[in-house]
Amino acid sequence: MPPLMTTIFLFVLFIFTFSANSQDSDLETDCTNKWIHIRHLSSQFNLDLLSNCSEYLLFDNFCPYLANHGLGQKTHNKSHSWYRTDPSMLELIFHRRMLEYPCLTSDPSQANAIYVPYYGGLDSLKYLFGPEVNSSFQHGLDLYDFLVHVDSPNIWSRHNGHDHFMVMARPAWDFSQPLFNDPIVFGTSFLELPEFYNVTALTTEGRAYPWQEQAIPYPTSFHPPNLAFLKSWVNRVRRSRRTTLMLFAGGGGISANPNVRRSIRLECENVTSMSANGTGYEKLCEFVDCSNGICEHDPIRFMKPMLQASFCLQPPGDTPTRRSTFDGILAGCIPVFFEDLSAKKQYGWHLPEEKYEEFSVSIPKEDVVFKGLKILDVLTSIPRAQVRRMREKVLEMMPRVTYRKHGSSLGLRSKKDAFDIAIEGTLERIKSRLQEVAAQ
């Protein structure tokens, strides 16, 4: 992004930030128990981090993805809903949406929750990929000092941070290095700092045990501005002809060591030579090679094949979750999971745990890797009528995992999206936590 564009972008965001807490609530919105106050942070904790977008040599230059308040550049000039969205921009996307939240208050004492507009994932880059890698245990200490000692200490002390929440656009594992690891391993120690134990952290992937973090969906490339564009896409997905039984879009699986991605690759290679006669499909398996991140900012590369597939395989990789899970849902492609931590034990706010049998398939990875279970056999055994019902459930879930465009129409705002559900869950979580603390 040229320096002038960066300057204009930062200035516009600053104006939004400056005016956010002076907004009046929408008169038609019932804000009872929904009031949120946005803390005014020093620019070193958010805006300044954007101006360094090209400085992390071992990390992808993220300057191109700052456009449109973090949605990224449009996939093509005439696009209204499709962007080259980078998942690391979730903090920026969320911040921009918070500025139009209808129940903002400038009085922190009246707030039910306090939003901290800290770009923790971006701030972590200097520790993960930059010169401060050996100081990763210090990540977050300057923020804590600012919140507790510099800026209105009474806001924090009122509930000792229990009412504060923030978004961190990386898996929680990246912030979970033990404080005194020797030697240093990958990650920072932000979520291991006792100072932040009380804060709710919304991450793209959570760990199984700490209470303070909650996973919310990775942002996809689809951000509709109004209800007509959402309905148009849903109709296209519903009409799409599913000519492929199962699809895997991803990388990995080339190691000789047994793992589920290797098993998927081998099975897909084997079945491509098999006849699909009698299955109702033209192809049994398709593999979209997304190695080295080549698919990440090019949704056309994987969305078209997903639209043509009935099932999208979602194996774990370096961590259990995948952005591809949400891309697949967006394409009406029924997700196939190989462990519960990939989604079922992660995104309970957005994809209710009791609904998984209605819209997804679960196949234990151990059965595939070590017991010879064929994924093809499992999927072909599902009756076609049941497949159609599952796809309709996937379509029902689609708005819940979509981050609509900021400034969207009133009609679209009547449908809860990923942001709305995250805010509802956060408010309920903080309310419950404050009640627990009061009862102690």
Side-chain angles (χ1 to χ4, degrees):
M1 180 182 292
L4 180 58
M5 289 181 63
T6 302
T7 301
I8 292 174
F9 172 81
L10 296 180
F11 177 74
V12 170
L13 185 56
F14 172 77
I15 293 299
F16 273 117
T17 304
F18 182 78
S19 62
N21 281 342
S22 63
Q23 293 182 15
D24 291 326
S25 169
D26 186 334
L27 293 179
E28 296 181 1
T29 302
D30 180 6
C31 292
T32 305
N33 298 322
K34 298 178 183 177
W35 292 105
I36 296 178
H37 173 77
I38 300 179
R39 291 206 64 164
H40 293 291
L41 299 187
S42 165
S43 61
Q44 74 181 86
F45 299 113
N46 43 47
L47 301 187
D48 290 353
L49 299 171
L50 305 182
S51 64
N52 298 331
C53 56
S54 63
E55 291 186 2
Y56 305 100
L57 299 181
L58 298 179
F59 184 77
D60 188 22
N61 173 11
F62 62 84
C63 296
Y65 316 127
L66 297 178
N68 295 302
H69 297 277
L71 302 185
Q73 299 169 349
K74 293 181 177 181
T75 53
H76 54 282
N77 291 337
K78 294 183 179 180
S79 173
H80 295 282
S81 302
W82 289 90
Y83 299 82
R84 302 187 187 278
T85 303
D86 188 279
S88 64
M89 294 297 106
L90 179 57
E91 295 153 351
L92 185 54
I93 295 169
F94 207 94
H95 188 185
R96 177 61 183 84
R97 286 288 304 279
M98 276 300 311
L99 300 178
E100 60 186 40
Y101 177 69
C103 298
L104 294 179
T105 176
S106 58
D107 183 357
S109 67
Q110 299 299 314
N112 302 104
I114 308 292
Y115 169 58
V116 181
Y118 170 54
Y119 300 166
L122 297 182
D123 198 20
S124 73
L125 296 179
K126 62 187 177 186
Y127 301 107
L128 302 179
F129 303 101
E132 299 180 54
V133 63
N134 292 324
S135 302
S136 56
F137 62 92
Q138 294 182 335
H139 180 208
L141 292 177
D142 50 353
L143 174 66
Y144 178 78
D145 183 67
F146 181 87
L147 294 174
V148 177
H149 302 297
V150 177
D151 176 67
S152 305
N154 59 301
I155 300 178
W156 179 276
S157 62
R158 181 166 170 249
H159 292 295
N160 199 27
H162 282 291
D163 55 349
H164 284 53
F165 74 98
M166 63 182 69
V167 177
M168 305 183 77
R170 296 185 72 88
W173 303 100
D174 288 357
F175 309 113
S176 306
Q177 180 183 167
L179 280 169
F180 303 107
N181 252 20
D182 187 12
I184 297 291
V185 297
F186 184 82
T188 81
S189 300
F190 189 98
L191 292 176
E192 295 294 320
L193 294 173
E195 290 87 346
F196 286 107
Y197 281 171
N198 296 343
V199 174
T200 295
L202 304 181
T203 59
T204 52
E205 176 179 318
R207 295 172 290 173
Y209 46 91
W211 87 269
Q212 79 262 42
E213 63 216 41
Q214 170 65 39
I216 60 175
Y218 291 82
T220 65
S221 297
F222 181 60
H223 309 282
N226 59 50
L227 194 56
F229 281 106
L230 174 62
K231 288 182 175 180
S232 175
W233 177 253
V234 172
N235 288 336
R236 178 181 174 183
V237 172
R238 182 175 280 117
R239 294 193 306 266
S240 184
R241 184 166 171 257
R242 307 285 165 169
T243 57
T244 303
L245 173 64
M246 63 184 188
L247 174 142
F248 172 53
I254 58 176
S255 168
N257 297 323
N259 64 77
V260 68
R261 289 197 177 208
R262 179 175 183 271
S263 297
I264 288 171
R265 276 185 179 250
L266 292 175
E267 182 172 346
C268 197
E269 290 171 0
N270 289 336
V271 302
T272 50
S273 62
M274 294 171 55
S275 172
N277 291 342
T279 65
Y281 296 97
E282 296 176 6
K283 288 190 293 187
L284 295 176
C285 184
E286 181 171 358
F287 169 60
V288 179
D289 190 354
C290 290
S291 301
N292 302 314
I294 61 173
C295 297
E296 194 164 29
H297 306 112
D298 186 5
I300 296 174
R301 185 185 292 267
F302 55 83
M303 286 304 297
K304 186 175 181 180
M306 284 181 170
L307 282 167
Q308 297 171 344
S310 276
F311 297 94
C312 283
L313 310 184
Q314 306 296 351
D318 293 334
T319 64
T321 66
R322 308 183 70 214
R323 171 182 170 172
S324 176
T325 294
F326 305 104
D327 292 321
I329 290 175
L330 196 62
C333 191
I334 300 165
V336 180
F337 299 116
F338 298 88
E339 61 176 55
D340 285 350
L341 271 178
S342 290
K344 191 173 185 179
K345 298 298 184 183
Q346 295 281 347
Y347 306 106
W349 292 352
H350 295 79
L351 301 173
E353 192 169 333
E354 66 276 9
K355 299 282 188 180
Y356 271 75
E357 290 185 2
E358 299 177 16
F359 71 87
S360 70
V361 177
S362 179
I363 304 176
K365 62 183 179 182
E366 294 80 8
D367 291 356
V368 174
V369 177
F370 300 112
K371 298 181 181 180
L373 178 65
K374 298 302 180 185
I375 302 168
L376 178 66
D377 292 341
V378 175
L379 300 183
T380 53
S381 69
I382 302 174
R384 295 301 294 269
Q386 184 178 345
V387 172
R388 288 192 292 270
R389 289 194 298 270
M390 294 174 76
R391 183 171 300 113
E392 282 300 315
K393 286 295 182 181
V394 170
L395 295 183
E396 287 180 19
M397 295 293 177
M398 188 190 300
R400 300 176 62 87
V401 299
T402 299
Y403 292 91
R404 65 175 179 263
K405 189 178 185 295
H406 50 269
S408 57
S409 68
L410 286 174
L412 185 56
R413 278 183 256 169
S414 67
K415 283 188 172 290
K416 294 178 183 178
D417 76 336
F419 171 86
D420 296 323
I421 294 169
I423 289 297
E424 284 187 356
T426 299
L427 286 165
E428 187 59 36
R429 186 189 189 103
I430 287 174
K431 177 183 177 182
S432 176
R433 185 62 177 170
L434 292 177
Q435 289 173 343
E436 290 177 13
V437 172
Q440 291 175 357

